[in-house]
Amino acid sequence: MKKQQVIVFLPAFNEEESIGEVIQGIPRHFHNQVDVKVLIIDDGSNDQTVNVAKEAGADYIVSFEKNRGLGAAVRAGLKESYERGADIAVMIDADGEYPANEIPNLLFPIFRGEADYTMGSRFLGTIKGMRLHRRLGNYVFTFLQCILLRKWIFDGQSGMRAFTRQALEHAEIVHDYNYAQVLTLNLVRKGFRVNEVPISYRVRSTGESFITFKGYLSSVLPAIWKEVKRPIQKVHVETDAHKLENMNHYQLKERHKGKSVLIAK
């Protein structure tokens, strides 16, 4: 049986202090029918991000000449993953806040045929250390998303997500500043099934996020309105395209050094 190719892509801008650890923490051999590769979208970094990523084992690196914004980097990650033949793509931030070793958990609903698009939810998992203003901002914008989707979402701004090949093909991001709200609106409106998976959260210890509440108000809200007003064509979703057999015979186990593997029961 042909292995399913999973491409984990990391949008990165000046993340030399954290990206190596994130790449090394990505599980590569958690299922015998899954092959994992790592893709870096370098958003015009002017530090050693690219060199550190290469040394840590990144398989592919795409670099922008100048910084374009997180939305543009994620858009490129989706496109590159699709064109490189990914059956499934996983996006994870390069800053170390999201648990790379929990990527298998994010993929399980897709392998079980239950979802086409999954998001790692900090609010269903662990959010210790998140600053109050960021937590409140997440609540506000996630609640807005729930209203627009008419569906309950717990963490609309998560930086850890997985996409089936069909979702990769049809995903659209209408602006460059950010992607979080409009991407979910776009995919759910097209008929893709979304599933949230509890994850651990660790406050970043290096660098600084460029995302601000003011930026959301000035950039993201207009983009949300644009996405909502755009005509959308429903997609015939292939619900079992990535289903793996005998998933009930596997369970996630923790190994030393924080790595995760699937072990047959």
Side-chain angles (χ1 to χ4, degrees):
M1 182 183 294
K2 179 179 176 293
K3 289 187 176 183
Q4 294 203 43
Q5 177 165 293
V6 173
I7 293 182
V8 180
F9 71 89
L10 287 70
F13 176 62
N14 291 346
E15 297 288 2
E16 65 179 7
E17 296 183 29
S18 59
I19 193 169
E21 182 180 352
V22 176
I23 292 171
Q24 291 173 350
I26 294 172
R28 299 277 193 146
H29 308 289
F30 59 87
H31 194 287
N32 60 11
Q33 290 300 321
V34 177
D35 182 51
V36 179
K37 300 293 185 183
V38 176
L39 163 68
I40 306 302
I41 305 297
D42 167 38
D43 191 14
S45 298
N46 52 32
D47 65 355
Q48 294 299 308
T49 292
V50 170
N51 290 334
V52 173
K54 289 178 179 178
E55 292 176 2
D59 299 283
Y60 316 115
I61 295 179
V62 174
S63 292
F64 298 164
E65 290 185 5
K66 61 180 181 179
N67 183 259
R68 298 184 188 176
L70 183 55
V74 173
R75 189 187 303 119
L78 297 171
K79 179 175 180 290
E80 290 285 339
S81 296
Y82 183 82
E83 291 181 351
R84 292 173 189 271
D87 295 296
I88 300 171
V90 176
M91 184 199 78
I92 187 169
D93 283 354
D95 58 18
E97 287 193 349
Y98 294 87
N101 64 305
E102 294 179 23
I103 284 175
N105 291 354
L106 201 65
L107 295 171
F108 287 175
I110 295 175
F111 290 147
R112 288 194 292 257
E114 299 169 355
D116 318 293
Y117 169 48
T118 60
M119 300 190 295
S121 174
R122 297 162 292 183
F123 295 96
L124 289 176
T126 303
I127 56 171
K128 291 181 180 179
M130 183 184 288
R131 293 179 180 177
L132 180 60
H133 72 278
R134 287 194 63 186
R135 188 178 300 193
L136 291 176
N138 272 281
Y139 288 149
V140 170
F141 287 107
T142 297
F143 183 66
L144 171 62
Q145 193 172 39
C146 292
I147 294 173
L148 295 173
L149 290 174
R150 297 180 182 178
K151 178 181 179 63
W152 195 253
I153 299 273
F154 289 90
D155 191 356
Q157 284 72 245
S158 174
M160 185 174 178
R161 307 178 183 218
F163 311 80
T164 63
R165 184 163 180 80
Q166 260 195 312
L168 284 175
E169 180 183 7
H170 292 280
E172 296 177 280
I173 301 172
V174 296
H175 68 135
D176 289 345
Y177 178 79
N178 202 290
Y179 65 91
Q181 307 288 343
V182 294
L183 181 54
T184 299
L185 285 170
N186 181 264
L187 287 173
V188 172
R189 290 176 68 213
K190 288 178 177 176
F192 290 99
R193 300 165 299 162
V194 62
N195 191 312
E196 286 187 279
V197 176
I199 60 169
S200 307
Y201 172 76
R202 182 178 69 179
V203 176
R204 66 184 294 157
S205 57
T206 62
E208 185 176 349
S209 174
F210 78 94
I211 301 298
T212 64
F213 188 81
K214 181 179 179 181
Y216 252 89
L217 291 177
S218 62
S219 299
V220 178
L221 287 181
I224 290 174
W225 179 249
K226 180 180 179 180
E227 174 61 40
V228 170
K229 299 300 290 184
R230 288 198 314 146
I232 289 291
Q233 184 174 356
K234 288 282 188 178
V235 175
H236 175 69
V237 179
E238 300 174 9
T239 57
D240 292 333
H242 305 284
K243 195 171 182 179
L244 292 178
E245 298 296 328
N246 301 319
M247 282 302 295
N248 291 333
H249 296 290
Y250 286 84
Q251 60 184 358
L252 192 64
K253 293 289 187 181
E254 291 297 319
R255 282 197 309 189
H256 66 287
K257 297 183 180 179
K259 295 183 179 179
S260 300
V261 290
L262 281 173
I263 299 177
K265 290 182 178 179

